[in-house]
Amino acid sequence: MTTNLKINSKSEQTTATYTKDDYRAEITYNVNSEDNIIKDINMSIYDNINGNYICNVNANNSGNNLLTYNISGVLQSKLTDIVTLIEEVSLAITSTVSNE
């Protein structure tokens, strides 16, 4: 499976960049090393063409290994695209974490 997720640095907090079509997400996420579960994800999403900031997304583990997402600052006209992008980023991170 190919992914658009590029790990920039890896430590207790991993940084990555995800690019797809007209969007770029700059991401940081933390994983609980004991059980390899994602603790949180933070990303800033930009227009990949001219680099304009679009919105910020934060996710925290709400228990039962489920992430709760908060999206701030997104225009309604971009909402569907951004939700799809967030789902793709989440799946890419989950796949990366499970393969470690």
Side-chain angles (χ1 to χ4, degrees):
M1 176 176 152
T2 27
T3 181
N4 297 328
L5 183 71
K6 178 185 174 235
I7 302 296
N8 298 326
S9 69
K10 188 164 181 60
S11 63
E12 185 174 323
Q13 183 175 67
T14 301
T15 62
T17 303
Y18 188 90
T19 53
K20 171 112 190 250
D21 301 330
D22 295 340
Y23 301 101
R24 180 183 88 246
E26 296 297 332
I27 308 155
T28 59
Y29 64 91
N30 292 293
V31 176
N32 184 330
S33 59
E34 293 176 13
D35 53 13
N36 218 30
I37 301 296
I38 299 168
K39 294 192 299 187
D40 57 59
I41 300 172
N42 298 298
M43 63 180 102
S44 295
I45 299 176
Y46 300 89
D47 180 321
N48 204 27
I49 295 169
N50 56 22
N52 291 334
Y53 172 82
I54 295 175
C55 69
N56 191 57
V57 179
N58 297 301
N60 291 296
N61 193 321
S62 59
N64 298 324
N65 303 327
L66 299 174
L67 292 171
T68 300
Y69 287 84
N70 294 303
I71 305 169
S72 61
V74 66
L75 293 172
Q76 184 176 359
S77 62
K78 299 271 186 188
L79 187 57
T80 301
D81 287 351
I82 296 305
V83 169
T84 300
L85 182 72
I86 292 167
E87 290 175 334
E88 290 176 12
V89 169
S90 296
L91 289 173
I93 291 171
T94 301
S95 175
T96 299
V97 167
S98 66
N99 288 328
E100 294 175 342

